[in-house]
Amino acid sequence: MFCFQCEQTAHVNGQAGCASTKGVCGKDETTADLQDLLIYQLKGIGQLSERLRALGKPDQAADSFTLYALFTTLTNVNFNRAVFTGLIAEAARIRDRLRDALAAAGGDVSGLSAAVSFQPATDLPGLLAQANIASVRAGLDLVGEDVIGLRALILYGLKGVAAYAHHAEVLGEARDEIYAGVAHALAFLATDPDDINALLAEALALGRLNFTVMEVLDAANTGRFGAPVPTQVLTTPVAGKAILVSGHDLRDLHNILEATKDKGINVYTHGEMLPAHGYPKLHAYPHLVGNYGTAWQNQQQEFAAFPGPIVMTSNCLIEPQPAYRNRIFTAGPVGWPGIRHIQNDDYAQVIQAAQAMPGFAEAAPAKTIQVGFARETVLGAAETVINAVKSGDIRHFFLIGGCDGAAPGRNYYTDFADHAPKDTMLLTLGCGKYRFNMHDHGEVAGLPRLLDVGQCNDTYSAIQIATALANAFGCGVNDLPLTLVVSWFEQKAAAVLLTLLALGVRNVRLGPSLPAFLTPTLLNVLVEKFGVQPITTAEADIQAALTRQAA
């Protein structure tokens, strides 16, 4: 195996990458190799899909499969080798169907990559023997580290795009331009591109595609559940039976709430599901009682202490521990060997587990945090915000967004939020907020200083807020008193970074460490061409932002 797609990437003897029998995330060598083979097949499917679409014959079933299959390969999503052997076999069937359809339509079948004719072995040893052709570092000796790094940036960004698109698709929102863009990116990678300029152009095109995806996801979430509104969320337990829902997928949460109506079971959110409380049609369920726990990396301790079953709906799964292994369930693209997986939205086993367990014996003293400051709410107060900036009451905006994680250095984000001057406003999204969202940041200009915009899935809201403020001040986003401080962990964050670069947003502070696939040369490109800045210390970066504004 070789994997360097996330911040957990091992660093051994100066070399970055998980290359042993098990990755830091818990993914074993077999699963990693099977994921690589699946990606290899998807490149062939992308080529065929692109050519069929050019003939006016898109195959939406293949497009949907591609999104789902890509999603399963994200960090901390699916660790079940049986799932991947099944997906590899299904990918071969879909590929054959597309190839036959292209030939039947009189389409051009020349110049296609070997992935289009690849025949996966029918047993696990045979598949593993084929895996070397699909490694993310295949061809390194021919093209060098920089090309491999850019290919990886596109692939990992594409995985993030697919995850966001899948979240929207399950809520009934899809656009052919998204399917077409994903197919194009896969087809591009299938050709083993080695031109640096072409790779950079494709990366930016992918960033623009992700902006469209996030717009569609925003429409899916708000269309189904209403526009988020400021909401106080209980962070302490109440007495009663309980189910905990983690991950990102609002559809799964909604289905669980529906399935548990009038059953005397309280539902709690965890991790990135916290912003769900801001959606009117979700918090209308009285048994959605609060949020339990913090960010994903603390789940092994928090899940062990939770007195009920847990449902993991998307990425951020860590190896289930014995203390809760028999009461955690996976849904959608998520999986772990031996863990029960929810099929066809049937939550009967989850409900049975909740009814059989003690739940919380008594309520704890109430504590709350506030969520729900998506674009409608923030822009509803735009006049107040604009006047506060003009009067000097608000000097600067800091958007501290992105992922949390277990690696050292993330105390930077706590320090940043706590040391930002009191005349600055803090916006946040993603689970990195857990580093500081329970601190008292006070108010500025009569508004809360800390505004929780939502999940990483809600980046569109943050971009729209920045764009609206820029329009109100008659300037560009880069001229606003605004600094973006981004913590990355996995592939959704890579997609968001590409979107920011594609939109021309400069001076993004990126940390806590930099992706292992970004070589020194590529980092220099990001710094010189796009103004990306690795983080230093919170105090120094705050001062630099305020100094740049003053200049």
Side-chain angles (χ1 to χ4, degrees), residues 367-549:
K367 296 181 181 179
T368 63
I369 53 177
Q370 195 170 31
V371 302
F373 288 95
R375 71 179 190 280
E376 289 85 354
T377 296
V378 176
L379 296 181
E383 184 176 355
T384 299
V385 172
I386 292 165
N387 290 337
V389 172
K390 290 179 177 178
S391 68
D393 291 337
I394 297 178
R395 181 169 31 152
H396 202 84
F397 299 89
F398 291 109
L399 193 156
I400 311 173
C403 318
D404 205 355
R410 290 183 180 271
N411 59 306
Y412 167 92
Y413 299 95
T414 309
D415 293 343
F416 200 106
D418 288 348
H419 288 90
K422 300 303 182 185
D423 59 354
T424 63
M425 180 168 278
L426 309 174
L427 289 82
T428 188
L429 72 167
C431 64
K433 67 170 71 81
Y434 282 107
R435 293 281 170 169
F436 49 83
N437 68 341
M438 297 185 188
H439 296 189
D440 182 4
H441 298 283
E443 295 187 347
V444 60
L447 298 169
R449 277 192 66 231
L450 177 64
L451 304 181
D452 187 341
V453 179
Q455 298 179 335
C456 67
N457 294 18
D458 296 310
T459 302
Y460 180 77
S461 250
I463 292 172
Q464 291 303 304
I465 290 168
T467 301
L469 289 175
N471 291 338
F473 285 108
C475 65
V477 169
N478 292 319
D479 299 316
L480 285 172
L482 168 68
T483 299
L484 277 65
V485 186
V486 177
S487 56
W488 87 283
F489 178 78
E490 42 80 282
Q491 296 79 64
K492 287 182 177 178
V496 170
L497 176 62
L498 290 178
T499 295
L500 295 175
L501 300 184
L503 294 176
V505 178
R506 296 183 61 83
N507 301 311
V508 175
R509 292 278 181 182
L510 183 63
S513 59
L514 296 177
F517 50 85
L518 289 183
T519 65
T521 299
L522 298 180
L523 178 58
N524 285 339
V525 171
L526 294 182
V527 170
E528 295 172 6
K529 189 176 179 67
F530 303 103
V532 172
Q533 303 175 54
I535 64 170
T536 60
T537 67
E539 293 83 352
D541 291 347
I542 290 169
Q543 187 58 45
L546 298 177
T547 300
R548 181 173 61 86
Q549 175 188 339

Side-chain angles (χ1 to χ4, degrees), residues 104-121:
D108 182 11
V109 296
S110 64
L112 294 168
S113 74
V116 171
S117 56
F118 170 72
Q119 293 298 326

Side-chain angles (χ1 to χ4, degrees), residues 7-84:
E7 195 221 2
Q8 296 172 106
T9 296
H11 291 76
V12 180
N13 298 324
Q15 297 296 315
C18 293
S20 64
T21 58
K22 192 173 186 179
V24 176
C25 69
K27 180 171 60 178
D28 64 37
E29 182 177 19
T30 296
T31 303
D33 287 345
L34 293 175
Q35 288 182 356
D36 287 346
L37 277 175
L38 178 60
I39 294 295
Y40 182 74
Q41 290 178 287
L42 293 176
K43 292 176 183 177
I45 289 174
Q47 285 185 303
L48 293 167
S49 293
E50 187 172 49
R51 294 196 180 188
L52 280 167
R53 186 166 270 102
L55 296 174
K57 296 182 178 295
D59 187 314
Q60 186 170 349
D63 293 330
S64 295
F65 172 82
T66 297
L67 297 184
Y68 179 84
L70 282 168
F71 198 166
T72 64
T73 69
L74 262 73
T75 300
N76 292 83
V77 174
N78 203 304
F79 300 79
N80 192 339
R81 65 180 65 172
V83 168
F84 291 103

Side-chain angles (χ1 to χ4, degrees), residues 305-319:
F306 187 78
I310 304 109
V311 180
M312 181 62 73
T313 68
S314 67
N315 44 319
C316 300
L317 176 65
I318 303 177
E319 181 174 4

Side-chain angles (χ1 to χ4, degrees), residues 138-161:
L140 173 63
D141 55 335
L142 297 176
V143 299
E145 295 278 2
D146 295 337
V147 167
I148 293 296
L150 273 175
R151 289 178 186 172
L153 175 61
I154 294 169
L155 173 60
Y156 300 151
L158 180 61
K159 289 185 180 187
V161 169

